[in-house]
Amino acid sequence: MHMNYLNTSVVAITAAVVFFAGTAEADSVAGKQVFDEACADCHVRSSLQGTSPREFSATVRAIVAGTHMHEAKLTLTEAQIADLSAYLAGGGK
């Protein structure tokens, strides 16, 4: 029982570190540029806010992969997706 709890704790801590480390590397200034170049023609920033960064990133990845319906083809790198998510998560700042 104790070992199971320890393993679960290690996994949870590792997942948190990986998640927050990836978030820390995202650049909201670069995310604004991505938004302006790839999104602003069709989307108002405020209409994309309110979604968690993780959920938003998953949706954008699905659009890039072509598995989520979207008006236009979208080609973004993982870094651009992270930057875009950071920009929107920060209230567009």
Side-chain angles (χ1 to χ4, degrees), residues 29-81:
V29 173
K32 180 182 183 329
Q33 183 177 352
V34 172
F35 181 85
D36 290 345
E37 293 173 2
C39 309
D41 286 346
C42 301
H43 297 283
V44 176
R45 185 191 76 240
S46 61
S47 70
L48 300 175
Q49 292 174 316
T51 304
S52 75
R54 178 174 276 170
E55 184 179 351
F56 179 79
S57 294
T59 300
V60 173
R61 282 188 195 94
I63 292 168
V64 170
T67 59
H68 186 84
M69 194 170 148
H70 193 256
E71 189 71 26
K73 180 169 175 39
L74 188 61
T75 305
L76 297 174
T77 66
E78 278 297 315
Q80 289 172 312
I81 293 170

